[in-house]
Amino acid sequence: MINKNFKEQLSDLLNCDIKALYPLARELKRKLYFYVGPTNSGKTYQAMSEMTKADTGTYLAPLRLLALENYESLKNNNVPASLITGEEEIFDEDAGHICSTIEMINFNLEVDVCVIDEVQMLDDEDRGWAWVNAILGSPAKKVIMTGSVNALDIIKKIAVYLDEELEVVKFKRKNPLKVDEKHTTLKDIQPATALIAFSRKEVLGLKAKLSKYNKVSVLYGNLSPEVRREEAKRFREGKSDILVATDAIAMGLNLPIKHILFTADRKFDGKEKRPLTPNEVIQIAGRAGRYGQHEIGHIGATSGTVLTHIANMFTSPMSTIKPPVKVKATQIQVEELSSHLGTKNLTQILRYFSKHMKYDGPFEAVNLKGMLELSMMLDQKKELSLEDKYMLSNAPINTRSPLILNGYKKYVNAILTHRVTKIKLSSKILGIAKTQLELLQAEDEVKKISLYLWLAYKLPELFPDKQKAELLRVEINNFCENSLKSNKTLKPMIKRNDSRNNRFKRDDRKQDRNRGYQKSYHERDGRARDKFKNNTAEKKEETKEKKEGNKSPRRRRRRER
């Protein structure tokens, strides 16, 4: 056998038949099913029923919250089950069924049925790769995908590439949706209404307005799954009558919503503030009119302008997901490229991958923004192994939070020096939050704990404080939930350059300190006080001179005598 030269080996590596990366799935002669339909059509329920009937099965969830809910549903129906997410593993040796977040799929565990939920997420810019991998590599004889109609064409193309049989099962919505003729003002909102906003700030602002006359639950992305679950439970059980949520409501949560009101028709997508698309409006609107609780679902808005846009988008066709879909580099590909390129620089390897890697089928190589951002940070640590850098570049963190980012850097240094690290909070959490900033700090603390647990799952010898971390997470989640359900208005976060606040109030100093501003607070306050004193002295002098100037010469001479 003639050994391939360097160029031939590199060419083979860069021209990838991606389905070959999943040998067990290829051996099973799988059959694919796509349960396609709108929200409230029963497609996921039917898929879970099929999985439950089988001796073994895996449910792959888009969210930890949904993995947990379906795990508990199986347990409540006396079906032994295990739960696996990036932060925890509840393993039952007698269980034949697993509920897992989609990133945690085991490509070496054969089961009878695999359910891949919300498959239209394969088009997601940051996480779509996980759905692509699951479709290609799920080691199950029967793979059931559930999702919306905009994913149908791309699923058909992937099935053709895989040369596997695909059966499409169509579902219809169980009750109708109706768009309001007029907008609804905040004072006219009825119970069982959900208001949709597109930022945490807007959600908490609406909660403050509505809490004067209503009991309000909130849902937004920065809340932990446990708090979101409790807030949803309060609304479901009637302990709150109004829900204010971001578009996080669109995925999987089953809530007794009769009326959905959009408070805005634009959202910031990470790059720009743009109008809502038909896909987004239809997905969110579908949460109105829960089957079995409301005969009809109502869709509206809090202003006429917003209502016009929502009505237009709701009646427009959904945009079809077009190929190619995105695939990220695997650890094996990174290691092989490292060997050929002669570098351990992860950033360089990832950029080379996205530029030169070619796939058979409807796929393209991409670099994830967050992964590339972390890789540039990790490449500064020359002593870190490539394996550790790849693992850490996939960490579930928000780099915009100084609290989380500082924790991440600390944990990276612990791995670099092989130092055992215990869990420690960055700030004290007492009573309930009085300001939006205090609530945000608590939310970030939970995310930092989740990062610790993610590392404890992968490197238990360096991060052994798993039990304490879980207890602290419960404690802080309770703080967040108690703060939200208290119905007390949280003081808004104060902008740093607010002209109305040039005296630098205490909360502004606290915000700067805890969110990463580098100025000295004593120096800043000193300058502010000096400026205030100088301005006051100048004003007094001006007032005195003005008064003196207004006096007549005779009166001035008399006063001087």
Side-chain angles (χ1 to χ4, degrees):
M1 181 179 177
I2 301 173
N3 291 329
K4 292 184 178 181
N5 62 33
F6 175 84
K7 285 187 177 180
E8 288 175 332
Q9 291 175 346
L10 186 59
S11 177
D12 288 347
L13 176 60
L14 294 175
N15 291 276
C16 179
D17 183 12
I18 193 170
K19 63 177 180 286
L21 299 178
Y22 306 99
L24 180 55
R26 302 289 76 80
E27 292 173 9
L28 292 176
K29 296 181 180 178
R30 307 181 309 168
K31 181 171 180 182
L32 308 178
Y33 295 80
F34 186 20
Y35 287 6
V36 59
T39 307
N40 246 335
S41 60
K43 58 187 183 295
T44 304
Y45 175 83
Q46 186 62 39
M48 291 301 292
S49 297
E50 290 292 318
M51 189 194 80
T52 305
K53 290 176 191 174
D55 292 334
T56 58
T58 301
Y59 167 70
L60 300 177
L63 300 171
R64 178 170 166 261
L65 174 61
L66 292 178
L68 182 61
E69 282 193 350
N70 281 283
Y71 164 74
E72 292 185 342
S73 177
L74 290 175
K75 299 281 283 184
N76 292 337
N77 288 304
N78 298 315
V79 178
S82 296
L83 174 70
I84 300 174
T85 72
E87 304 164 25
E88 66 218 314
E89 180 180 284
I90 303 174
F91 189 70
D92 184 341
E93 291 184 357
D94 298 324
H97 294 82
I98 296 171
C99 291
S100 165
T101 44
I102 194 159
E103 287 87 351
M104 298 302 293
I105 181 175
N106 186 340
F107 294 108
N108 297 311
L109 179 65
E110 181 182 342
V111 294
D112 296 321
V113 177
C114 176
V115 175
I116 305 174
D117 204 4
E118 304 284 1
V119 76
Q120 72 277 358
M121 285 287 291
L122 62 83
D123 194 42
D124 185 80
E125 191 170 335
D126 297 316
R127 298 179 64 212
W129 61 269
W131 275 262
V132 174
N133 290 354
I135 296 166
L136 296 173
S138 294
K141 302 177 185 71
K142 185 175 185 178
V143 178
I144 303 176
M145 297 165 279
T146 71
S148 53
V149 69
N150 62 318
L152 181 56
D153 284 353
I154 190 64
I155 295 299
K156 286 180 178 179
K157 285 180 170 63
I158 293 173
V160 169
Y161 161 73
L162 292 171
D163 194 22
E164 292 179 337
E165 183 183 354
L166 171 66
E167 182 176 333
V168 178
V169 183
K170 295 182 179 179
F171 288 75
K172 293 183 179 180
R173 186 179 167 88
K174 293 180 177 292
N175 56 2
L177 290 170
K178 183 181 178 182
V179 179
D180 296 344
E181 294 180 0
K182 297 193 302 182
H183 73 275
T184 304
T185 61
L186 292 183
K187 66 179 182 180
D188 295 324
I189 291 173
Q190 299 298 312
T193 295
L195 283 88
I196 308 300
F198 294 96
S199 73
R200 177 184 183 275
K201 179 182 176 182
E202 290 168 357
V203 167
L204 293 176
L206 285 165
K207 180 183 186 294
K209 290 179 182 178
L210 293 166
S211 292
K212 296 174 184 177
Y213 308 104
N214 303 276
K215 292 182 178 178
V216 183
S217 288
V218 298
L219 294 172
Y220 52 87
N222 205 54
L223 289 176
S224 70
E226 290 84 3
V227 175
R228 272 184 274 173
R229 188 181 181 203
E230 286 303 310
E231 286 291 286
K233 183 180 177 182
R234 285 205 301 129
F235 183 72
R236 195 180 292 124
E237 294 178 352
K239 293 177 181 177
S240 62
D241 44 15
I242 303 295
L243 176 68
V244 184
T246 62
D247 48 354
I249 197 176
M251 196 182 297
L253 288 167
N254 296 321
L255 297 164
I257 300 168
K258 182 178 181 180
H259 199 175
I260 277 187
L261 293 176
F262 288 81
T263 63
D265 58 0
R266 300 173 70 84
K267 66 175 281 188
F268 182 71
D269 62 4
K271 297 176 183 176
E272 61 181 352
K273 198 164 188 179
R274 56 160 179 80
L276 297 176
T277 65
N279 296 29
E280 291 165 337
V281 170
I282 291 167
Q283 190 74 13
I284 295 168
R287 294 295 160 194
R290 184 68 189 161
Y291 179 68
Q293 294 172 308
H294 303 293
E295 292 183 4
I296 189 169
H298 296 272
I299 308 150
T302 55
S303 77
T305 305
V306 173
L307 181 59
T308 300
H309 181 75
I310 296 302
N312 289 338
M313 293 299 100
F314 182 72
T315 53
S316 300
M318 295 182 80
S319 300
T320 300
I321 297 172
K322 291 181 171 59
V325 287
K326 299 171 179 63
V327 178
K328 77 168 186 174
T330 65
Q331 184 173 333
I332 292 173
Q333 288 171 325
V334 165
E335 290 172 351
E336 289 178 343
L337 283 173
S338 170
S339 176
H340 281 85
L341 298 175
T343 181
K344 300 290 184 183
N345 186 293
L346 181 59
T347 307
Q348 184 180 335
I349 294 167
L350 291 175
R351 285 178 172 155
Y352 188 91
F353 165 84
S354 64
K355 185 175 181 180
H356 297 284
M357 180 67 75
K358 305 297 179 188
Y359 287 105
D360 292 343
F363 313 102
E364 71 171 340
V366 295
N367 282 326
L368 308 179
K369 181 182 175 183
M371 188 176 182
L372 205 57
E373 187 178 348
L374 292 179
S375 72
M376 287 188 282
M377 190 187 310
L378 295 165
D379 281 327
Q380 297 174 19
K381 308 288 184 181
K382 304 297 183 185
E383 298 84 358
L384 270 178
S385 70
L386 184 61
E387 181 182 357
D388 282 342
K389 283 197 281 190
Y390 180 83
M391 181 266 291
L392 290 166
S393 71
N394 285 286
I397 73 164
N398 176 6
T399 55
R400 290 173 297 174
S401 164
L403 187 150
I404 299 171
L405 188 58
N406 288 337
Y408 176 78
K409 290 177 178 178
K410 175 186 172 185
Y411 298 151
V412 168
N413 287 330
I415 294 169
L416 186 61
T417 57
H418 301 285
R419 185 179 73 251
V420 174
T421 302
K422 300 292 184 72
I423 186 70
K424 186 178 179 181
L425 297 182
S426 302
S427 55
K428 291 183 179 179
I429 306 294
L430 300 170
I432 63 171
K434 296 179 179 62
T435 68
Q436 291 183 18
L437 175 61
E438 289 177 358
L439 180 61
L440 179 60
Q441 287 173 320
E443 292 165 7
D444 284 354
E445 283 284 9
V446 173
K447 295 237 181 323
K448 183 184 164 189
I449 293 171
S450 294
L451 173 61
Y452 184 94
L453 289 167
W454 183 81
L455 289 165
Y457 184 82
K458 296 177 180 298
L459 301 169
E461 67 283 357
L462 293 181
F463 300 91
D465 242 356
K466 181 175 181 289
Q467 189 173 4
K468 183 181 177 182
E470 288 172 342
L471 290 173
L472 284 172
R473 183 166 67 181
V474 170
E475 181 182 328
I476 301 174
N477 279 329
N478 287 338
F479 171 88
C480 293
E481 176 58 17
N482 290 334
S483 301
L484 291 171
K485 74 181 183 183
S486 70
N487 250 32
K488 291 183 178 178
T489 300
L490 296 172
K491 190 175 180 181
M493 292 172 66
I494 302 167
K495 291 182 181 179
R496 190 182 179 199
N497 294 321
D498 192 338
S499 61
R500 296 169 299 173
N501 194 46
N502 59 14
R503 289 289 306 278
F504 296 100
K505 293 182 181 179
R506 180 180 62 85
D507 283 331
D508 195 24
R509 295 198 303 273
K510 186 175 180 183
Q511 178 178 344
D512 284 357
R513 180 170 64 251
N514 289 293
R515 297 296 288 175
Y517 295 123
Q518 302 300 314
K519 292 281 187 183
S520 162
Y521 306 101
H522 297 295
E523 179 187 343
R524 276 180 40 195
D525 279 359
R527 286 203 303 269
R529 283 193 297 271
D530 291 344
K531 184 177 179 181
F532 178 76
K533 287 177 181 178
N534 291 338
N535 288 343
T536 305
E538 288 172 8
K539 285 181 180 178
K540 284 182 178 178
E541 191 66 31
E542 286 174 6
T543 304
K544 183 178 179 181
E545 289 174 2
K546 193 173 181 180
K547 284 181 179 178
E548 291 293 331
N550 288 337
K551 292 178 181 178
S552 67
R554 182 180 296 177
R555 290 179 66 186
R556 280 204 304 273
R557 285 197 297 271
R558 189 180 301 162
R559 184 178 178 83
E560 287 168 1
R561 286 199 297 269

